[in-house]
């Protein structure tokens, strides 16, 4: 009787092959992880902006049930600061507030989810207020100029207007009538004049499109 003995071959990776494989994985990770992180950041901003817009509109509608139309109690630059106005009319209708802090001109509100805003009354002769909302509150408060310096990047401008509207821009009048106009308004090199970025995102369905003018 003949016995056939099969000696199975042992397969193993050499050190060189392992290093090459790890190198390939590292290159792929280096190429894809920044893109994934950027996409996740954009998604966070999109969701946060839509949520804040809805929250503020709902708060204003609830306040109007108690105080009448906003046109009658819109913030007045000549008689009060935003903090006093906010506490009197809107604060009780906005939930999940973590912290509120008054400054000489500004009023900061931080939410439990890490977002927040800085608001102040405009001095343009209108009864209106600008609100710079930050999906990541700490990215704005860590830089004293970040709220306006990073308008359309970390901070996104909203406004309470004397006509009773809460708008996703710095425009209470003269709002661009086309998407091209919104893009031009967001592309302004001066962040203090970059009033259309938030409205452009809203126009696109609360999405940051590929042709969004600012780098996020």
């Amino acid at each position: 009787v003949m016995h056939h003995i099969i000696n199975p071959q042992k397969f193993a990776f050499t050190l060189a092959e392992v290093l090459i494989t790890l190198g390939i994985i590292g290159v792929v990770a280096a190429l894809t992880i920044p893109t994934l992180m950027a996409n996740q950041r954009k998604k966070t901003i999109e969701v946060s902006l839509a949520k804040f817009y809805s929250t503020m509109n709902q708060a204003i509608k609830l306040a109007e049930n108690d105080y009448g139309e906003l046109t009658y109690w819109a913030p007045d630059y000549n008689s009060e600061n935003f903090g006093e106005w906010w506490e009197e009319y809107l604060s009780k209708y906005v939930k999940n507030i973590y912290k509120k802090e008054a400054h000489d001109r500004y009023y900061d509100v931080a939410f439990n989810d890490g977002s927040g805003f800085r608001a102040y009354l405009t001095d343009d002769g209108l009864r209106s207020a600008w609100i710079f909302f930050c999906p990541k509150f700490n990215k704005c408060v860590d830089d004293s100029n970040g709220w306006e310096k990073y308008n359309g990047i970390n901070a996104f401008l909203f406004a309470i207007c004397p006509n009773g509207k809460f708008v996703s821009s710095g425009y209470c009048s003269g709002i661009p009538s086309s998407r091209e106009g919104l893009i031009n308004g967001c592309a302004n090199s001066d962040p203090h004049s970059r009033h259309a970025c938030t409205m452009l995102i809203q126009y696109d369905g609360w999405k940051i499109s590929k042709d969004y003018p600012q780098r996020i």
Side-chain angles (χ1 to χ4, degrees):
V1 178
M2 296 182 63
H3 297 280
H4 297 281
I5 300 175
I6 301 175
N7 294 319
Q9 292 182 336
K10 295 182 178 180
F11 295 97
F13 291 108
T14 66
L15 178 60
E17 290 172 329
V18 171
L19 292 176
I20 290 173
T21 301
L22 291 176
I24 293 173
I25 293 173
V27 170
V28 172
L31 293 174
T32 59
I33 289 178
T35 300
L36 292 174
M37 292 179 64
N39 289 338
Q40 180 59 40
R41 169 172 157 73
K42 289 181 180 180
K43 183 64 177 179
T44 298
I45 291 174
E46 293 164 352
V47 172
S48 294
L49 291 178
K51 179 181 177 181
F52 180 66
Y53 183 77
S54 175
T55 296
M56 288 296 295
N57 271 306
Q58 183 178 17
I60 290 172
K61 289 179 180 178
L62 290 173
E64 286 183 323
N65 290 334
D66 291 337
Y67 304 108
E69 294 182 4
L70 176 59
T71 52
Y72 299 109
W73 47 274
D76 188 346
Y77 182 83
N78 295 316
S79 62
E80 58 198 354
N81 61 50
F82 185 87
E84 293 173 349
W85 181 86
W86 171 269
E87 290 302 321
E88 181 175 357
Y89 292 106
L90 288 184
S91 182
K92 63 182 177 180
Y93 303 109
V94 181
K95 306 301 181 182
N96 301 316
I97 292 178
Y98 167 68
K99 181 177 65 175
K100 295 179 285 188
E101 187 174 3
H103 303 272
D104 291 340
R105 184 185 175 198
Y106 305 101
Y107 192 71
D108 293 348
V109 174
F111 297 105
N112 291 338
D113 64 0
S115 66
F117 68 81
R118 169 167 288 181
Y120 61 90
L121 304 181
T122 61
D123 56 358
D124 55 7
L126 300 174
R127 299 180 66 204
S128 58
W130 278 6
I131 300 176
F132 286 94
F133 173 76
C134 284
K136 297 294 183 182
F137 186 71
N138 62 346
K139 286 188 175 293
C140 292
V141 296
D142 288 346
D143 184 341
S144 60
N145 297 314
W147 300 91
E148 295 186 358
K149 180 180 178 182
Y150 299 115
N151 185 11
I153 302 173
N154 289 333
F156 298 86
L157 181 58
F158 293 83
I160 296 175
C161 298
N163 62 1
K165 300 293 184 180
F166 177 69
V167 297
S168 57
S169 69
Y171 300 111
C172 283
S173 61
I175 298 175
S177 58
S178 66
R179 187 175 186 276
E180 182 180 2
L182 293 174
I183 289 178
N184 291 336
C186 180
N188 198 305
S189 59
D190 180 3
H192 297 83
S193 300
R194 202 178 291 155
H195 299 334
C197 292
T198 314
M199 184 167 283
L200 174 60
I201 295 172
Q202 182 187 20
Y203 185 96
D204 289 336
W206 296 113
K207 299 294 181 183
I208 299 172
S209 302
K210 291 182 178 180
D211 59 349
Y212 183 79
Q214 301 302 323
R215 184 175 181 181
I216 291 182

